[in-house]
């Protein structure tokens, strides 16, 4: 009976999850377009922005996967 009460209390208390790293909430802006600038340089900066966004998404997925490994997934 005590074990059941302990389990029920732990389930009701929930799980304290770690804070989401701040950089994972950041939105990546598009590269600025300046009139007269070569198109290739704008495209290069846009691709760099996309690389940063993809890297951040990878960190987000690893963070989430770490949580589900530690705490288990819920239906």
């Amino acid at each position: 009976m005590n074990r059941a009460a302990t389990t029920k209390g732990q389930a009701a208390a929930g799980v304290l999850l770690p804070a989401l790293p701040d950089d994972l909430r950041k939105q990546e802006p598009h590269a600025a377009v300046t009139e007269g600038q070569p198109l290739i340089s704008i495209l290069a900066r846009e691709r760099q922005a996309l690389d940063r966004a993809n890297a951040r998404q990878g960190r987000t997925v690893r963070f989430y996967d770490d949580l589900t490994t530690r705490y288990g997934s819920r239906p």
Side-chain angles (χ1 to χ4, degrees):
M1 178 110 97
N2 283 339
R3 187 174 18 207
T6 299
T7 301
K8 182 179 177 184
Q10 288 172 342
V15 174
L16 182 60
L17 297 175
L20 184 68
D22 288 337
D23 77 310
L24 300 184
R25 295 185 186 279
K26 182 180 176 188
Q27 294 289 309
E28 194 65 48
H30 287 281
V33 177
T34 306
E35 192 173 332
Q37 202 171 31
L39 186 59
I40 192 73
S41 68
I42 297 168
L43 180 60
R45 286 187 287 115
E46 190 70 23
R47 288 188 59 93
Q48 290 170 346
L50 180 60
D51 289 344
R52 288 189 300 271
N54 286 342
R56 193 167 28 261
Q57 180 191 23
R59 290 191 302 276
T60 304
V61 169
R62 285 190 297 278
F63 180 82
Y64 179 79
D65 288 346
D66 181 53
L67 285 178
T68 57
T69 298
R70 283 198 261 167
Y71 301 111
S73 60
R74 294 182 183 242

